[in-house]
Every structure is written in structure tokens, then in C-alpha cells.
């Protein structure tokens, strides 16, 4: 079904569907679920774009990719030029094309989307990135590294915020070192988001692109312990610091039984599986133990990832227990749908009051209450109210708690003059990323609380811009001894 | 990659590796630990920094071979490499400068207690050390401990060296002799049953007692919660809130259960490793 617009451009109302791995098959392997467009489909999808002059789509993208332009190039089949265009703004296109919540970002205001389905911007972006990665012969290298500015910048944390900030600063000629606590770079992209949604090879390749810009990454470096931010600034000659340490601290509910064996935080469950590759145990050394019946508490993306991971690890039943109703699930619709297809069960309006264990201290189930939704509260969400006398027991031999994460306090605790809010998030100026401490900037989940990859990247970009301006305007001596200024 | 500068063999199952990690050697303090990963497929395991030399840029790790990872570690030689060493992690021991402290090291726990003893003595405390092992063969660092303490007592379970008995026997006599009001602090580091026994004893005398808990860990940076333990009724993460805690407040049963949860898996990993290597399984796993 096509319509004609004044311009003569054909309107194709529907997105080209994303080919998926068969749902029965995929629930038992860790291969990527979404297989990606092929060449023809990518061209066809890009051709749906109306090339709007005002590009409302770009305004919805936190890193402001020139979307109509890259789609125009892609529609011509010129994917090399398209990826170059994307990379002007986005260092991690293979990641973003896969995990951005496009429906609430770039695709939300797509003109086509007003009457029809928006252009599937993310899927085309993913194709461009994969196209480049697959093209080993003729790699579209990043622009030449510019001459050194003479300034040194330290980045704490190698998640999307830190990596983006690092890449942008390196492009300005600053000498950038990223300090990462873990043994790999990537943050949640490596330890949290499962292989079947975001293959680790993609993250590694995109991290390498950042390193190719001249960024140094020091792994196994826990800032606050190995070195403090004060030392980086006062003793090691760094002129500015960007903090992108994320929200890695898992929350628990504070109900009895949470320390029983077999109760994992989602972070532990996913870290064992993704970062430490427990699904390949014993070839890899880290084990994970999983029961027949796994219950995941929570309703966000993290809960969906944990429930789907449980199936792949061999659980017979994987159940999401969520205290509100389906409508309120904070997870992306697509993730919920995939979870349903794979056989994850959902118990809505249910919440545990107590976890139960056997005589050996191993979890055996939980005592739950049923809930009803009350009137909308101040935030407009209808808060759940317990139904009297609705106590019941749900059996489980593994429980994964996925009710949210907060910031780790190590950096604020060891840095002089760095203000945080009540939740422990670092306070940063939303316009600049500047913190209460001069020369120290912050962004990503550590400032906003758990959010999204692309928002963290936007914050990293903003931090880089502000640090660049800060360095140029400051009269600090350049430690690397370059003239200028 | 972190190079092994020196290897010492204390016994068939207890070894020391001195590793080149200059930044850690410069920043670490007694009581802290590192997370190591031997190779690409390795698990992350915590080991206490038993000694460090900022000048040479080395840290020493003393470990007991109990499962696959520690056996594999013990098979490494001088000049070889450990893939990852992250640290220093955890809070350093709070060192104060006067009064008598009793420091108890059991088994491989002698290693972490050593730098703590040295530091307390340097600060000006009267340091009494008690070290114990199952037998003479397993005892190490007697000389180092003797230099780091004002007085040192030794026990072996089987009586093969100095005094037959448990560290708690000596501890009890010392408390009676010195008087509980004259003891500022007891610290006990070693296998869980030994730390627990020390705490049970000192609790009766109401002497403040710190223990260094060896919970299972994955990241060691506060990110996963695997290391959680109940202390005084509230949940703590051993890696970031500890590793030292008031031993009288620790829920030992819960700690024990949580640290043995992966026993079956760890055992199978060890058996596979040993059959591949042609070693015989030493079968000493478990909690000791
Ligand atoms: C399971 C899961 C699934 C998700 N799915 C999606 C999704 O589909 N789409 C989406 O957009 N978002 C998703 N998110 C959210 C998204 O991953 C995060 O919002 C994003 O990664 C935040 O980026 P960041 O750079 O701020 O922090 P992080 O990615 O958390 O990275 C922080 C890094 O800093 C390091 N660090 C911390 N403290 C220190 C220190 N003291 N010294 C040195 N290094 C330190 C950490 O080890 C880590 O590597 C998901 C999150 C999780 C947990
Ligand atoms: C902060 C900290 C510091 C530590 N310092 C040292 C040290 O200096 N020297 C040293 O030898 N060990 C130390 N440990 C313990 C050490 O980490 C474990 O022995 C090691 O991880 C075992 O790995 P593995 O693969 O060889 O054995 P695994 O195969 O993992 O375990 C073998 C058996 O031992 C049990 N076990 C494993 N780890 C522990 C543990 N942490 N506590 C109790 N039982 C356990 C398991 O249940 C299993 O049955 C420390 C632990 C912590 C948390
Ligand atoms: S980076 Fe994310 S928000 Fe921006 S265009 Fe790509 S998919 Fe959309
Ligand atoms: S809003 Fe949609 S149709 Fe318009 S330029 Fe952007 S992607 Fe193309
Ligand atoms: S080991 Fe992961 S939080 Fe302590």
C-alpha cells in the first residue's frame, strides 16, 4: 500500500521486519536473537526516509546523528559514507543500533511515524556498523589523530559515557587515559547486557575503534583505591577528569531471606553469565547454579534479560514477578515480547514479603501478596496496594533480584569536594556536566541513576565538550610541554 | 599481564607468589586484597596482599591450593604471568598506636596477619602474635612474624611443632594472664571455623574482635553482591564494606552456607583440571 506525497516520494507505511532467530531454538542458545537486515533490506528501509528538512529524528537522538543524511547515503547503497557520517557523532553505532530504545528516542518524532510506522533508524544504523566491521580488507579508519593539544584528561569508567567522552576528547588532540575497574572495557555493555542481545564481539570491536583514536585504557584500575581523583589531578598531571562510573550497585528489597543461597542480584547473575561466561563452564572457570524454577523480581529491561538468560542456562520455568500490571512494565515493549515468545511467564500484581529457604539455607520459594492498583500518585503512576489476606507461596529454587541499581560510593567517598545527592548520585550541571569540584566533570548513570546507553553517551559527549572548553579557557600549564595558547 | 618475580613453596599446598604490580605496591595498605584472574578463561578470585615492597614494585600473595584456580596458580613459575590483578581492594586495617593487640593467624591466615602485625608494632602497640597450623609442615613465616610481634606463640593441631593444641588455647591463657581490660583488640584471620572459635571465646570476655571474612566474590568492587554477609542484622558487602568486620556480629552459619554454595561445581572443575593435567586430586577442598 503506497501513497503519493506532493514531492512525489513514495510512502512505504511499514517497517521492514527484523529477521529473528526462531524463538524455540533461540531460548536455548546465546546467539544473537535479532539477525540484522541484509543489504537489500537495509537499502529499502533507508529509502523509506522522507528526508525532512527539519529532521525531527535527529533532535530525538541524544548524540545528534545527522539521521537524514546517513539514511540518504544508505539508500544509495553507500554504506561506507553512511557509517562515516554516523561516526562523526557516535563512536558505538553497532551497540546503539542494537540496544537504543529507538521508539522513545530518534524514531519517536519521525515524520513518517505520525501516520505510519517510523523509519527503523536503529536497524539501518546497525547494518552500517556491521557492514564496516565485516569489511576487514578496507576498513574505514577514523580520521587521523590530530596534533597533541598538550593536555591530559583522565576518564573514570569505560562504560558508554566514559568511552564517548574519551573518543571526543581524543579527536580534539587531548591525551586521554581511561581507568577501568574490571578486566575488560565496556561497562554494562560487557557485564550486563546479554550476548544474545549484544554480542560481546561487537562491543570489543567498537572499543577498539576508540583505542585506535589514541585513547589509552588502563584495566584493573579501581579509582579511589589504586589512585584517587585528587592524586590524578594533583600528582599525576591530569588537567581534568570525567567520571562515568555508572550505577553498578545492586539494590535488594530488604526483606527476610535475601541472603539465602540461590538468591542472586541481577548484576551477579548477569555478570557471571556475560562477563565471566559461566554458560561455558567448565571450559571457563566461573560457575553459575540454576534451579528448575527461576523467579525474577522486577519488570525492567534488566529483569527481562535475567529471565531470558535463565531459560538459556537451562531453567525449565522462568517467571517474572512484578508488583504492578503489564501496562506499567518499565521494560521496552520489544524485550517483553521477546521474553513472552521464548516462554517466560509473568505473574503481575504480585510481590514477595519474605523469601523462604530449606534446612540448608538454600532458597525454596517466597511468600507473596497480591496487589491492586490504587489512584495515580504524584508521578502519575498507579501505586500498588496489598490485598488483605492474599498471602500465598510461590515455589522457586533460584531467585534473581532485579529491582534496580544505584551508584557505587567509592569515588565520591575518596574525592575531596565532590557533592552527591541523597541517593548517592554525583551532582552535575545538566548544561555542562560540571561537578562541584573544578576540573571534574561527570555523566551517565552515576549522575542520572540507571538510564540508557545513548543518554550516557550524550552525557559523555557533553562532558567532552565542556572539558575541551575548560582546558582552552583555563590558563593551566600544559603538562605535555606543547606550546600554544 | 603481571609478571611473577618470585615463587616460594611453603608446603605442598601453600605457596607464595611475588608479583610485579608497582602501582598496587605503592598504594596498598595492610588488610587489603586483590582480585586476580589467571588467564582469559579464569575466574576472578580474591587474595589478600600478604606483603608489599613499593621500592621493588612487588606484592606477595600467599595461598592455599584448594580448588582449580588456586591449584593452577600454584603451578605457575617465576617468570610466568597472571593475566589480571586488580586492587588494592577493601578497607585497610585501622591501625592505632597504643595498647596491646592480639593477632591470631590460622593456616594460610598467617600471611594476611603479618603486615598488620608489622604496622601495629611500628605504630607503637604491644603486639602479641599467635599462629597456628594443622602441622609443622604447613607452618610458615615464623621468623617474619617473630620480628613483627613483640611476642609470638605457636600451636600445631597435632603437636608436631612447639605446642599441641589450637590457637584459642593460647588466646584464652593470654587473656586470663593479661586481663581483658588490658587488651585493646583481637584480630583473627584464618579458616572460618577458627575465626568463629576465636570470636566465641573473646565474646565471653567482651573484647573487641575483628575478623577478615573470605566470602565468595565475583567482581570484588561492590557491583554484584555475591559477597554479601549479615553483620549485626544488616547486609554488608565484604569487598567494599570489609573485608574486616566485628566478629561478634557476623552470621557465621550464613557465611558458611554462602561460601560453599558452588561446592559441587568447583569440585567438578577441579576434577576435570586434575584429570587433564594427570595430577591426582588432593581432595583437600572444603572450608579449611
Ligand atoms: C542488564 C542491563 C540491560 C540493559 N539494557 C539496556 C538496553 O537495552 N538499552 C539501553 O539503552 N540501556 C540498557 N541498560 C542501561 C545501560 O546499560 C546503562 O544506562 C549504561 O551502560 C550506563 O552507562 P555508563 O557509562 O554511565 O555506566 P556503565 O555502563 O555502568 O559503566 C561504568 C563503568 O565504570 C566502571 N567503574 C565503576 N567504578 C569505578 C572506579 N571506581 N574506578 C574505575 N572504574 C569504575 C565500571 O566497572 C563500569 O565499567 C541496561 C542495563 C543493564 C544492567
Ligand atoms: C578478601 C579475601 C581474601 C582472601 N585471601 C586469601 C589468601 O590470602 N590466601 C588464600 O589462600 N585464600 C584467600 N582467600 C580465599 C580464596 O579466595 C579462595 O581460596 C579461592 O578463591 C579458592 O579458589 P579455587 O578455585 O582454588 O577453589 P574453589 O574451587 O573455588 O573452592 C574449593 C572449595 O573451597 C571452598 N571455598 C572456596 N572459596 C572459599 C572461601 N573464600 N571461603 C571458604 N571456602 C571457600 C568452596 O566451597 C569449595 O568447596 C581470600 C578470600 C577473600 C574473600
Ligand atoms: S544512536 Fe540511538 S537514538 Fe541516536 S539515531 Fe542511533 S539508534 Fe537512534
Ligand atoms: S523524521 Fe523520519 S522521515 Fe524524516 S528525516 Fe528523519 S528519519 Fe527520515
Ligand atoms: S564481590 Fe561483587 S559485590 Fe562484592
Amino acid at each position: 500500500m503506497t501513497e503519493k506525497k506532493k514531492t512525489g516520494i513514495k510512502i512505504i507505511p511499514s517497517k521492514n521486519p527484523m529477521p529473528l532467530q526462531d524463538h524455540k531454538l533461540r531460548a536455548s542458545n546465546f546467539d544473537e536473537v535479532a539477525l540484522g537486515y541484509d543489504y537489500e533490506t537495509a537499502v529499502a528501509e533507508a529509502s523509506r526516509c522522507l528526508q525532512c528538512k527539519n529532521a525531527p529524528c535527529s533532535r530525538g537522538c541524544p548524540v545528534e546523528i545527522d539521521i537524514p543524511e546517513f539514511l540518504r547515503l544508505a539508500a544509495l547503497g553507500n554504506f561506507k559514507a553512511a557509517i562515516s557520517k554516523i561516526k562523526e557523532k557516535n563512536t558505538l553505532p553497532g551497540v546503539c543500533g542494537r540496544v537504543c530504545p529507538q521508539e522513545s528516542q530518534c524514531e519517536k518524532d519521525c515524520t513518517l511515524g505520525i501516520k505510519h510506522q517510523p523509519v527503523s533508524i536503529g536497524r539501518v544504523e546497525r547494518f552500517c556498523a556491521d557492514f564496516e566491521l565485516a569489511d576487514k580488507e578496507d576498513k574505514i579508519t577514523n580520521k587521523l589523530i590530530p596534533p597533541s593539544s598538550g593536555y591530559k584528561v583522565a576518564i573514570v569508567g569505560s562504560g558508554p559515557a566514559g568511552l564517548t567522552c574519551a573518543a571526543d576528547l581524543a579527536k580534539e588532540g587531548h591525551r586521554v587515559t581511561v581507568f577501568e575497574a574490571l578486566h575488560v572495557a565496556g561497562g554494562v555493555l560487557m557485564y550486563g547486557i546479554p550476548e544474545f542481545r549484544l554480542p560481546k564481539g561487537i562491543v570489543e570491536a567498537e572499543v577498539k575503534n576508540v583505542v585506535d583514536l589514541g585513547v589509552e585504557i588502563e584495566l584493573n584500575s579501581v579509582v579511589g583505591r589504586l589512585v584517587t581523583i585528587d592524586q590524578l589531578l594533583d600528582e599525576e598531571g591530569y588537567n581534568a577528569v570525567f567520571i562515568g562510573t555508572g550505577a553498578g550497585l545492586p539494590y535488594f528489597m530488604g526483606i527476610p531471606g535475601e541472603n539465602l543461597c540461590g538468591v542472586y542480584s541481577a548484576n551477579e547473575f548477569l555478570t557471571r553469565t556475560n562477563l565471566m561466561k559461566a554458560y561455558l563452564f567448565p571450559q571457563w572457570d566461573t560457575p553459575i547454579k540454576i534451579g528448575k524454577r527461576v523467579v525474577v523480581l522486577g519488570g525492567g529491561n534488566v529483569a527481562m534479560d535475567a529471565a531470558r538468560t535463565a531459560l538459556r542456562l537451562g531453567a525449565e520455568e522462568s517467571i517474572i514477578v512484578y508488583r504492578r500490571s503489564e501496562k506499567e512494565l518499565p521494560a521496552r515493549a520489544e524485550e517483553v515480547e521477546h521474553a513472552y515468545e521464548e516462554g517466560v511467564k509473568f505473574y503481575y500484581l504480585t510481590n514477595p514479603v519474605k523469601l523462604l529457604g530449606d534446612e540448608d539455607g538454600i532458597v525454596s520459594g517466597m511468600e507473596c501478596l497480591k496487589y491492586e492498583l490504587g489512584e495515580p500518585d504524584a508521578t502519575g503512576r498507579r501505586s500498588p496496594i496489598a490485598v488483605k489476606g492474599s498471602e500465598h507461596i510461590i515455589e522457586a529454587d533460584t531467585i534473581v533480584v532485579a529491582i534496580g541499581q544505584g551508584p557505587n560510593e567509592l569515588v565520591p567517598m575518596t574525592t575531596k569536594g565532590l557533592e552527591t545527592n541523597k541517593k548517592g548520585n554525583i551532582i552535575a550541571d545538566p548544561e555542562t556536566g560540571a561537578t562541584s569540584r573544578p576540573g571534574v566533570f561527570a555523566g551517565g548513570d552515576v549522575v542520572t541513576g540507571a538510564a540508557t546507553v545513548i543518554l550516557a553517551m550524550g552525557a559523555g559527549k557533553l562532558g567532552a565538550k565542556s572539558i575541551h572548553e575548560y582546558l582552552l579557557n583555563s590558563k593551566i600549564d600544559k603538562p605535555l610541554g606543547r606550546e600554544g595558547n | 599481564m603481571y609478571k611473577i618475580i618470585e615463587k616460594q613453596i611453603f608446603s605442598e599446598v601453600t605457596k607464595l607468589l611475588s608479583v610485579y604490580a608497582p602501582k598496587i605496591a605503592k598504594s596498598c595498605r595492610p588488610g587489603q586484597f586483590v582480585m586476580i584472574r589467571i588467564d582469559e578463561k579464569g575466574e576472578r578470585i580474591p587474595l589478600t596482599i600478604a606483603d608489599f615492597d613499593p621500592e621493588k614494585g612487588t606484592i606477595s600473595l600467599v595461598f592455599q591450593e584448594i580448588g582449580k584456580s588456586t591449584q593452577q596458580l600454584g603451578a605457575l613459575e617465576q617468570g610466568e604471568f597472571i593475566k589480571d590483578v586488580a586492587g588494592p581492594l577493601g578497607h585497610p586495617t585501622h591501625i592505632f598506636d597504643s595498647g596491646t593487640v592480639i593477632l591470631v593467624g590460622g593456616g594460610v591466615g598467617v600471611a594476611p596477619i603479618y603486615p598488620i602485625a608489622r604496622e601495629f608494632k611500628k605504630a607503637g602497640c604491644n603486639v602479641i602474635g599467635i599462629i597456628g597450623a594443622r602441622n609443622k609442615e604447613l607452618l610458615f613465616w615464623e621468623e617474619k612474624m617473630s620480628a613483627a610481634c613483640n611476642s609470638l606463640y605457636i600451636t600445631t593441631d597435632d603437636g608436631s611443632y612447639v605446642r599441641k593444641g589450637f590457637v584459642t588455647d593460647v588466646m584464652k591463657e593470654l587473656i586470663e594472664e593479661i586481663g581483658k581490660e588490658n587488651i585493646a583488640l583481637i584480630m583473627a584471620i584464618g579458616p572460618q571455623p577458627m575465626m568463629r572459635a576465636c570470636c566465641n571465646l573473646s565474646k565471653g570476655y567482651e573484647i573487641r574482635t575483628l575478623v577478615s571474612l573470605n566470602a565468595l566474590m565475583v567482581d570484588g568492587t561492590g557491583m554484584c553482591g555475591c559477597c554479601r554477609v549479615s553483620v549485626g542484622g544488616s547486609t554488608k558487602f565484604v569487598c567494599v564494606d570489609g573485608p574486616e568486620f566485628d566478629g561478634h556480629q557476623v552470621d557465621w552459619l550464613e557465611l558458611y552456607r554462602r561460601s560453599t554454595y558452588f561446592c559441587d561445581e568447583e569440585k567438578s572443575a577441579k576434577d576435570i583440571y586434575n584429570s587433564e593435567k594427570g595430577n591426582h586430586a588432593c581432595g583437600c577442598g572444603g572450608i579449611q
Side-chain angles (χ1 to χ4, degrees):
Chain A
M1 203 182 57
T2 54
E3 297 171 19
K4 288 256 175 183
K5 258 185 85 179
K6 291 197 278 290
T7 52
I9 293 176
K10 263 196 205 161
I11 291 198
I12 302 160
S14 301
K15 285 182 177 183
N16 286 282
M18 175 59 105
L20 300 177
Q21 216 198 126
D22 174 71
H23 61 86
K24 282 206 201 80
L25 204 67
R26 75 184 192 231
S28 58
N29 69 44
F30 276 85
D31 298 340
E32 194 167 12
V33 167
L35 300 171
Y37 282 163
D38 58 16
Y39 189 97
E40 286 72 29
T41 320
V43 169
E45 185 62 31
S47 310
R48 292 182 62 224
C49 170
L50 305 173
Q51 293 294 312
C52 314
K53 284 267 159 339
N54 55 350
C57 46
S58 289
R59 271 180 278 130
C61 169
V63 295
E64 296 167 347
I65 294 176
D66 185 345
I67 294 169
E69 183 57 13
F70 103 73
L71 289 175
R72 188 184 69 81
L73 293 163
L76 296 172
N78 190 349
F79 289 104
K80 287 188 187 180
I83 191 68
S84 297
K85 191 82 226 159
I86 294 171
K87 280 188 156 182
E88 283 174 14
K89 298 288 186 178
N90 186 344
T91 347
L92 310 171
V95 170
C96 292
R98 286 173 168 82
V99 304
C100 267
Q102 287 107 11
E103 66 279 9
S104 55
Q105 304 275 5
C106 51
E107 293 177 19
K108 187 165 147 241
D109 295 321
C110 171
T111 313
L112 256 186
I114 299 172
K115 282 205 196 144
H116 310 284
Q117 286 185 348
V119 179
S120 190
I121 301 166
R123 293 174 186 172
V124 181
E125 183 176 350
R126 165 182 167 169
F127 181 82
C128 295
D130 290 358
F131 182 83
E132 186 194 16
L133 289 177
D135 187 6
K136 290 203 182 65
E137 308 281 284
D138 185 18
K139 200 137 167 62
I140 305 121
T141 42
N142 294 293
K143 269 184 276 172
L144 284 178
I145 299 168
S148 165
S149 70
Y151 291 112
K152 265 172 73 173
V153 183
I155 312 271
V156 187
S158 67
L163 288 174
T164 305
C165 188
D168 280 19
L169 287 166
K171 287 183 194 160
E172 298 289 354
H174 305 301
R175 168 101 82 80
V176 185
T177 308
V178 179
F179 296 90
E180 168 55 50
L182 295 173
H183 58 264
V184 293
V188 171
L189 308 179
M190 286 305 279
Y191 77 73
I193 305 181
E195 176 79 16
F196 58 81
R197 279 212 296 129
L198 178 61
K200 301 309 143 207
I202 300 287
V203 184
E204 282 161 7
E206 298 205 324
V207 168
K208 186 170 174 299
N209 289 342
V210 176
V211 172
D212 287 344
L213 291 168
V215 170
E216 266 185 57
I217 302 184
E218 292 206 15
L219 301 173
N220 296 317
S221 300
V222 184
V223 173
R225 287 278 177 243
L226 188 65
V227 64
T228 61
I229 287 179
D230 296 339
Q231 286 168 328
L232 289 172
L233 289 169
D234 303 339
E235 295 166 26
E236 304 210 354
Y238 287 93
N239 304 108
V241 174
F242 178 82
I243 305 173
T245 47
L249 174 81
Y251 289 146
F252 288 90
M253 281 174 298
I255 58 175
E258 272 185 306
N259 294 345
L260 288 164
C261 295
V263 181
Y264 299 90
S265 75
N267 275 5
E268 180 184 350
F269 192 72
L270 293 169
T271 299
R272 281 183 182 271
T273 316
N274 298 316
L275 183 70
M276 307 310 297
K277 308 239 184 302
Y279 62 93
L280 300 175
F281 181 84
Q283 283 82 35
W284 289 61
D285 288 342
T286 307
I288 192 159
K289 213 168 173 133
I290 180 138
K292 291 202 177 89
R293 199 172 148 95
V294 177
V295 169
V296 178
L297 305 173
N301 286 320
V302 182
M304 300 305 139
D305 282 345
R308 297 171 71 193
T309 297
L311 288 177
R312 286 162 174 79
L313 289 170
E316 284 168 18
E317 265 186 298
S318 178
I319 302 161
I320 290 211
V321 168
Y322 180 56
R323 64 195 183 113
R324 299 175 201 248
S325 72
E326 181 169 6
K327 265 211 286 292
E328 284 78 18
L329 278 177
R332 285 180 70 188
E334 190 184 321
E335 301 306 326
V336 178
E337 199 181 305
H338 287 172
Y340 264 118
E341 286 169 5
E342 288 167 16
V344 173
K345 294 179 187 152
F346 290 75
Y347 293 2
Y348 295 109
L349 294 162
T350 305
N351 209 34
V353 285
K354 186 176 172 186
L355 307 189
L356 310 167
D358 66 13
E359 62 277 17
D360 297 323
I362 296 170
V363 73
S364 60
M366 52 193 204
E367 189 181 314
C368 294
L369 288 177
K370 283 300 249 177
Y371 285 76
E372 290 169 347
L373 288 182
E375 292 302 307
D377 62 11
T379 65
R381 287 222 295 183
R382 298 174 62 192
S383 46
I385 303 163
V387 177
K388 274 212 182 76
S390 65
E391 289 84 357
H392 61 289
I393 285 174
I394 298 179
E395 282 172 22
D397 28 31
T398 301
I399 292 180
V400 182
V401 183
I403 57 160
Q405 295 104 241
N408 188 310
E409 61 181 13
L410 186 56
V411 165
M413 202 170 70
T414 54
T415 309
K416 276 190 226 110
L418 190 64
E419 280 173 26
T420 53
N421 67 15
K422 263 188 285 177
K423 287 184 175 164
N425 294 107
I426 294 175
I427 299 172
D429 183 336
E431 306 283 316
T432 63
T435 68
S436 55
R437 164 111 188 230
V440 178
F441 298 76
D445 281 5
V446 71
V447 170
T448 55
T452 65
V453 171
I454 195 64
L455 285 172
M457 290 180 67
K461 241 185 163 39
L462 179 68
K465 185 166 163 276
S466 306
I467 288 175
H468 183 58
E469 282 164 13
Y470 168 82
L471 293 173
L472 296 189
N473 294 333
S474 70
K475 298 270 181 291
I476 21 183
D477 284 342
K478 298 176 180 183
L480 303 177
R482 290 284 165 145
E483 57 278 78
N485 224 27
Chain B
M1 299 286 269
Y2 298 76
K3 190 171 185 174
I4 298 170
I5 303 296
E6 194 196 345
K7 178 178 182 177
Q8 289 179 28
I9 297 178
F10 292 156
S11 78
E12 203 183 327
V13 291
T14 322
K15 298 183 180 155
L16 174 146
L17 294 180
S18 166
V19 181
Y20 187 66
K23 283 186 156 186
I24 301 177
K26 201 175 110 206
S27 56
C28 72
R29 309 244 307 276
Q32 291 186 299
F33 66 96
V34 291
M35 294 299 291
I36 69 154
R37 197 174 67 124
I38 299 172
D39 59 23
E40 190 54 40
K41 296 181 178 175
E43 56 184 341
R44 295 169 62 95
I45 61 166
L47 292 173
T48 309
I49 302 169
D51 204 355
F52 49 96
D53 186 337
E55 246 108 77
K56 284 199 209 144
T58 56
I59 58 168
S60 300
L61 308 174
V62 177
F63 56 93
Q64 192 169 12
E65 295 182 7
I66 55 168
K68 191 214 160 186
S69 299
T70 44
Q71 283 186 355
Q72 198 187 344
L73 192 63
L76 294 178
E77 298 298 339
Q78 184 177 322
E80 293 192 287
F81 293 87
I82 298 174
K83 190 151 185 12
D84 299 293
V85 180
L89 299 167
H91 288 287
T93 308
H94 171 67
I95 305 287
F96 47 87
D97 59 11
S98 68
T100 293
V101 293
I102 298 183
L103 304 179
V104 193
V108 74
V110 173
I113 215 85
Y114 163 72
I116 298 173
R118 189 179 59 187
E119 216 58 26
F120 268 119
K121 191 173 171 197
K122 220 195 296 170
C125 289
N126 174 35
V127 180
I128 302 178
I130 309 174
I131 58 177
R134 279 202 306 258
N135 55 46
K136 178 167 192 249
E137 223 254 299
L138 293 172
L139 201 71
F140 60 93
W141 278 9
E142 181 185 345
E143 269 172 43
K144 272 178 95 129
M145 274 302 282
S146 167
C149 299
N150 297 80
S151 44
L152 179 70
Y153 298 83
I154 298 172
T155 64
T156 47
D157 297 5
D158 65 355
S160 54
Y161 191 59
V162 194
R163 174 172 169 168
K164 180 177 160 70
F166 298 113
V167 286
T168 38
D169 302 342
V170 178
M171 201 173 120
K172 187 166 187 340
E173 286 170 21
L174 281 169
I175 297 170
E176 293 292 345
E177 189 185 313
I178 309 171
K180 64 171 189 184
E181 58 292 344
N182 297 320
I183 299 168
L185 178 73
I186 294 176
M187 266 186 86
I189 308 184
Q192 284 173 22
M194 168 251 162
M195 292 194 280
R196 194 175 176 178
C198 291
C199 291
N200 285 342
L201 177 64
S202 65
K203 196 170 188 172
Y205 293 100
E206 294 170 337
I207 307 169
R208 187 170 148 71
T209 304
L210 289 177
V211 289
S212 182
L213 298 183
N214 49 357
L216 294 188
M217 295 187 176
V218 180
D219 63 306
T221 68
M223 183 265 276
C224 75
C226 172
C227 62
R228 61 197 193 279
V229 55
S230 299
V231 181
S234 61
T235 295
K236 301 283 179 194
F237 288 8
V238 172
C239 66
V240 287
D241 298 323
E244 286 167 15
F245 294 97
D246 178 347
H248 297 159
Q249 308 279 328
V250 171
D251 183 338
W252 292 99
L253 180 61
E254 179 189 281
L255 177 68
Y256 169 77
R257 286 169 159 170
R258 289 188 61 81
S259 20
T260 48
Y261 183 55
F262 292 97
C263 240
D264 298 345
E265 287 75 12
E266 297 290 10
K267 193 169 174 312
S268 75
K270 179 164 127 177
D271 291 345
I272 293 170
Y273 174 72
N274 281 310
S275 64
E276 279 170 1
K277 287 213 60 175
N279 289 353
H280 80 112
C282 88
C284 69
I287 234 34
Q288 153 57 31

